[in-house]
Amino acid sequence: MRYSFLFCQAAVLSASLLLTSTAWAAPAPKYSVSDLSASLRENAHGVVRAYDETLLVKSVSRTVSTVHRAITILDGAGADWAQLMVPYDQLNSINYLRGAVYDADGRLIRSLRASDVKDYGLSDGFSLATDNRGRLATLQQSAYPYTVEFDYEITSDNSLFYSTWEPQDEPQLAVEHATFRVLTPAALPLRYQERHLPQGVQAAHSQQGGQEVYQWEVKALAAMEREPDGPPLRELVPMVVTAPAAFEVQGHAGSAASWQQLGQWSYELNRGRDVLPDDLRARVAALVKDEKDERVRIRKVYEFLQANTRYISVQLGLGGWQTFPASAVSTNGYGDCKALSNYGMALLQAAGITGYCALVRADAPDIHTEFPSSQFNHVILCVPLAQTKTAKADTVWLECTSQTAPFGYMGSFTGNRHALLLTPQGGKLVRTPTYGVRENRRERLADVYLDAQGKATAAVRTAYTGLEQDRLSAMLDGLDPAQQKKYITESLTLNNFSITKFNLTANRQQALPMVTEKLDLMLPTFASVSGKRLFLAPNLLSRLPAVTAPVGGRQSDVWLSHAYTYADTVRIHVPAGLQPENLPASVQLTTVFGTYSAQLHTLPDGTLQYVRQLQMLRTRFAKAEYPAYVEFRRKISAADKAQIVLLKTDA
């Protein structure tokens, strides 16, 4: 909304004024901490005293967003809320940025000064050119509590994006009062989606002159805490998401009323930019000339792209959505995700294969498919394969920004989510590959050689596939061996050990990539000795901790977002003179959350073999199921800690 922002400053009164009958009054305090209810301060590091946002739709191509936000910061854990970053670029300009800070009693300490605001380039570290910048205003104080107040206004010539109102956007942040207003011409109807609003809160709709007015208001929202295995905060807090039906960006008009129409705009914006030089087309045709298998031809083209390009982003104005021509990428050898995917599509065309660019929300929770809008931040390439006599219909997905990404593998970055396929007929919502319990595997074999004093050495081989290998694969590409060893050392859940030898290798040629980790370990205190007995836990590296029951009841659903299978075999080679006195009982657990089993038996040569398997399912459960989940995890933790007792027979 539009408003004026006034800061009261103390005035120096002259002697003559002091003699008049008109008494000067100090400005009334605002945001006194004593006015806060105990319920808002509970479990909170900060309280939003006011968050008022107004979106004014001026035309199909221009909006104005006005924000007023005041937050009382209760302690040092909330110090970051005393800073505000307001981004801007070629299409979004900041009209003003103001602020003030108040003490615990609500008295003005000072107003925001020019020296409190810094202007930064918001470089992502790999962009060749970007116009993304931001103004960072800082009003941090050393004494708590205090209140900061910010006001700013942004005019946007990019109406593809409307406001998302999210007054409670952080954990342990309470909200005293917040409002959201949207004013839009009747000819430009508002599309909105209400999420997790308190009971009874909904849009108030009215007319004001020739405008449609929508308003929301929330009060007294208690602070929320992150809970173990809970959903992202955005799936819990009140939110109103708005989007246009019709929009225009630098003269390019479109509609977001459906996925088909939004995809049509993006397709038309980039149509005709997939033309390659004739010599390159001939080179690609020769590359696949004698290959009959379509999947092999796609692989050859993809590997050619990886070998001859690199990712460098250029984000200027409309360039955030419109790609470089494929001919420019072939000349320069670089491009952003749009340009490289478009280039890959052009290379495939030269090989006689049809592919489509696809918009996806990468490295973040999946989009809300029921609300067509621009929710994407990345572009990948999709290649549908027709059914043949020897192969069923299939789809190949390609990540064109990486020189090392395995062929056809999306990983955690873009897998298990929806994408918007850009076709001549418009957008089509499809799913990227799903990686579940069969694909995401960690299989470990450990040979532990024990001596009579409780010391041991171990040779461990672990194979990671699917999403389980993503972290190690990135480490192989980005860290040197010394850094890799340091990372592995810090990740092992052992109390006393040293790595005497390690090795990481990747197999990226198979359909599901694999990383193999080999470790030689020195374990000085693997077993504890007490008289004639040695005590040791056979579960070497895979102990799963229990989760705690919530105080006051669970607030959110159980959200198990990652499905996997862990299989461990540990062979403990026992020296002569030791024999088992007690072995843990076998455990078998089967629940809706997953399954667990652990068995230990003696091999003919006296070796003790421990076999453990855990499968966790990717799914979501009501919060009423949390006690059962806590019990499942408690039983796993107890079984993982079970000990073997060995008795010395030669003493």
Side-chain angles (χ1 to χ4, degrees):
M1 75 184 168
R2 293 185 178 277
Y3 52 88
S4 60
F5 189 83
L6 302 178
F7 298 110
C8 295
Q9 297 183 346
V12 178
L13 300 179
S14 66
S16 60
L17 286 174
L18 291 173
L19 295 175
T20 66
S21 61
T22 303
W24 178 84
K30 55 196 302 190
Y31 311 126
S32 172
V33 176
S34 63
D35 293 338
L36 283 174
S37 66
S39 61
L40 289 180
R41 299 186 66 165
E42 185 177 358
N43 295 323
H45 298 305
V47 180
V48 175
R49 310 301 297 273
Y51 179 32
D52 303 304
E53 181 173 354
T54 296
L55 174 67
L56 174 62
V57 180
K58 297 183 71 69
S59 69
V60 72
S61 61
R62 174 167 289 192
T63 63
V64 178
S65 179
T66 308
V67 177
H68 167 244
R69 188 175 189 182
I71 301 180
T72 294
I73 298 168
L74 300 174
D75 53 45
D80 287 348
W81 293 322
Q83 294 183 315
L84 175 71
M85 172 65 79
V86 183
Y88 68 96
D89 55 33
Q90 189 179 115
L91 299 176
N92 296 275
S93 57
I94 301 174
N95 299 332
Y96 59 79
L97 171 58
R98 302 165 183 158
V101 59
Y102 303 86
D103 66 15
D105 295 322
R107 295 186 296 261
L108 177 68
I109 297 175
R110 65 179 176 84
S111 300
L112 187 70
R113 300 184 292 244
S115 59
D116 299 323
V117 182
K118 306 297 182 185
D119 195 287
Y120 293 96
L122 302 182
S123 173
D124 48 25
F126 44 74
S127 290
L128 178 65
T130 177
D131 58 1
N132 294 324
R133 300 192 64 82
R135 292 181 187 166
L136 179 65
T138 302
L139 285 171
Q140 289 176 327
Q141 304 294 302
S142 57
Y144 298 94
Y146 62 91
T147 299
V148 294
E149 185 177 45
F150 293 108
D151 291 83
Y152 63 92
E153 185 176 85
I154 296 176
T155 295
S156 176
D157 291 320
N158 178 9
S159 60
L160 176 60
F161 297 96
Y162 278 12
S163 297
T164 293
W165 181 63
E166 190 179 1
Q168 194 174 24
D169 58 353
E170 295 282 352
Q172 298 184 285
L173 177 68
V175 177
E176 187 174 38
H177 184 251
T179 64
F180 180 42
R181 295 177 71 225
V182 181
L183 298 88
T184 183
L188 296 173
L190 178 69
R191 298 175 53 245
Y192 65 88
Q193 185 182 56
E194 299 169 332
R195 301 178 190 165
H196 321 297
L197 296 183
Q199 187 174 6
V201 175
Q202 60 184 15
H205 181 211
S206 61
Q207 283 82 34
Q208 182 177 311
Q211 291 183 317
E212 302 288 323
V213 180
Y214 299 82
Q215 183 160 329
W216 292 264
E217 181 180 26
V218 294
K219 298 178 181 178
L221 302 178
M224 301 189 72
E225 294 185 87
R226 284 198 176 98
E227 295 182 300
D229 294 304
L233 190 69
R234 287 175 64 89
E235 299 299 326
L236 302 172
V237 296
M239 183 185 306
V240 177
V241 182
T242 63
F247 63 88
E248 184 177 303
V249 183
Q250 292 191 323
H252 294 268
S255 171
S258 70
W259 292 119
Q260 185 274 331
Q261 291 172 299
L262 183 60
Q264 190 75 58
W265 177 78
S266 188
Y267 177 85
E268 293 297 334
L269 187 66
N270 294 287
R271 187 158 60 94
R273 292 176 169 259
D274 55 355
V275 179
L276 294 174
D278 290 341
D279 60 335
L280 181 56
R281 289 181 59 82
R283 184 179 176 186
V284 173
L287 180 68
V288 299
K289 178 181 177 182
D290 298 322
E291 185 53 62
K292 304 299 182 184
D293 187 301
E294 188 172 23
R295 184 179 288 272
V296 175
R297 284 156 54 206
I298 297 170
R299 179 188 283 272
K300 285 187 174 183
V301 171
Y302 181 62
E303 290 174 349
F304 174 86
L305 180 147
Q306 288 183 305
N308 291 280
T309 60
R310 68 189 189 280
Y311 177 77
I312 296 181
S313 179
V314 178
Q315 305 289 344
L316 297 171
L318 192 66
W321 299 272
Q322 189 174 59
T323 181
F324 280 165
S327 57
V329 177
S330 69
T331 299
N332 299 324
Y334 62 75
D336 62 9
C337 61
K338 300 179 302 297
L340 293 174
S341 295
N342 178 68
Y343 181 60
M345 182 175 67
L347 292 174
L348 288 173
Q349 289 173 356
I353 299 168
T354 299
Y356 302 99
C357 291
L359 307 179
V360 68
R361 187 176 183 180
D363 200 27
D366 198 7
I367 64 170
H368 283 261
T369 59
E370 73 282 3
F371 189 67
S373 55
S374 187
Q375 303 176 48
F376 309 102
N377 61 5
H378 191 52
V379 182
I380 52 181
L381 188 56
C382 176
V383 190
L385 300 180
Q387 184 171 347
T388 66
K389 293 181 180 180
T390 58
K392 64 179 182 179
D394 199 0
T395 303
V396 175
W397 291 89
L398 301 174
E399 173 56 71
C400 296
T401 62
S402 172
Q403 284 76 50
T404 57
F407 172 75
Y409 178 69
M410 292 288 98
S412 57
F413 192 60
T414 52
N416 290 352
R417 48 175 51 80
H418 290 84
L420 187 62
L421 208 61
L422 306 180
T423 76
Q425 293 75 39
K428 180 181 178 183
L429 211 57
V430 296
R431 287 203 65 96
T432 62
T434 298
Y435 304 102
V437 291
R438 288 191 296 269
E439 294 81 17
N440 307 327
R441 301 185 64 86
R442 189 194 70 194
E443 298 181 349
R444 174 174 288 142
L445 174 62
D447 281 289
V448 180
Y449 299 88
L450 179 69
D451 68 17
Q453 288 73 47
K455 299 177 182 179
T457 60
V460 185
R461 181 189 184 278
T462 310
Y464 301 84
T465 59
L467 302 185
E468 290 297 314
Q469 63 85 52
D470 284 3
R471 173 180 56 88
L472 291 173
S473 183
M475 189 169 68
L476 265 173
D477 295 330
L479 301 180
D480 62 37
Q483 292 172 316
Q484 294 171 17
K485 183 178 180 180
K486 180 177 183 294
Y487 187 92
I488 292 171
T489 300
E490 292 172 350
S491 68
L492 294 182
T493 55
L494 292 169
N495 292 326
N496 187 10
F497 73 99
S498 59
I499 298 176
T500 57
K501 186 178 180 181
F502 92 101
N503 177 258
L504 289 176
T505 56
N507 182 350
R508 294 166 175 162
Q509 296 303 308
Q510 56 192 31
L512 204 62
M514 174 188 292
V515 172
T516 301
E517 172 192 85
K518 294 181 179 180
L519 299 175
D520 285 354
L521 302 174
M522 186 74 71
L523 306 168
T525 57
F526 178 65
S528 59
V529 181
S530 178
K532 294 182 178 183
R533 291 172 175 82
L534 275 69
F535 301 84
L536 61 95
N539 188 330
L540 182 64
L541 294 171
S542 300
R543 298 181 193 178
L544 187 69
V547 292
T548 57
V551 177
R554 177 80 174 187
Q555 300 299 310
S556 63
D557 290 347
V558 182
W559 185 296
L560 305 180
S561 60
H562 178 51
Y564 58 84
T565 298
Y566 289 170
D568 290 76
T569 299
V570 180
R571 297 187 296 227
I572 303 171
H573 302 270
V574 180
L578 289 175
Q579 68 178 19
E581 182 183 47
N582 182 57
L583 297 180
S586 297
V587 177
Q588 179 71 51
L589 305 173
T590 302
T591 73
V592 293
F593 311 107
T595 62
Y596 172 90
S597 64
Q599 301 90 29
L600 194 144
H601 59 276
T602 304
L603 299 179
D605 65 354
T607 298
L608 299 176
Q609 180 164 285
Y610 170 77
V611 179
R612 174 191 188 268
Q613 180 164 295
L614 172 64
Q615 280 194 339
M616 295 295 286
L617 308 176
R618 184 180 191 268
T619 188
R620 182 172 179 169
F621 301 91
K623 61 184 180 182
E625 299 288 333
Y626 188 66
Y629 177 68
V630 170
E631 181 63 10
F632 177 52
R633 290 286 299 270
R634 185 195 68 77
K635 289 180 178 178
I636 293 174
S637 178
D640 283 348
K641 294 176 183 176
Q643 288 195 326
I644 298 171
V645 181
L646 299 176
L647 182 66
K648 295 180 180 180
T649 60
D650 57 352

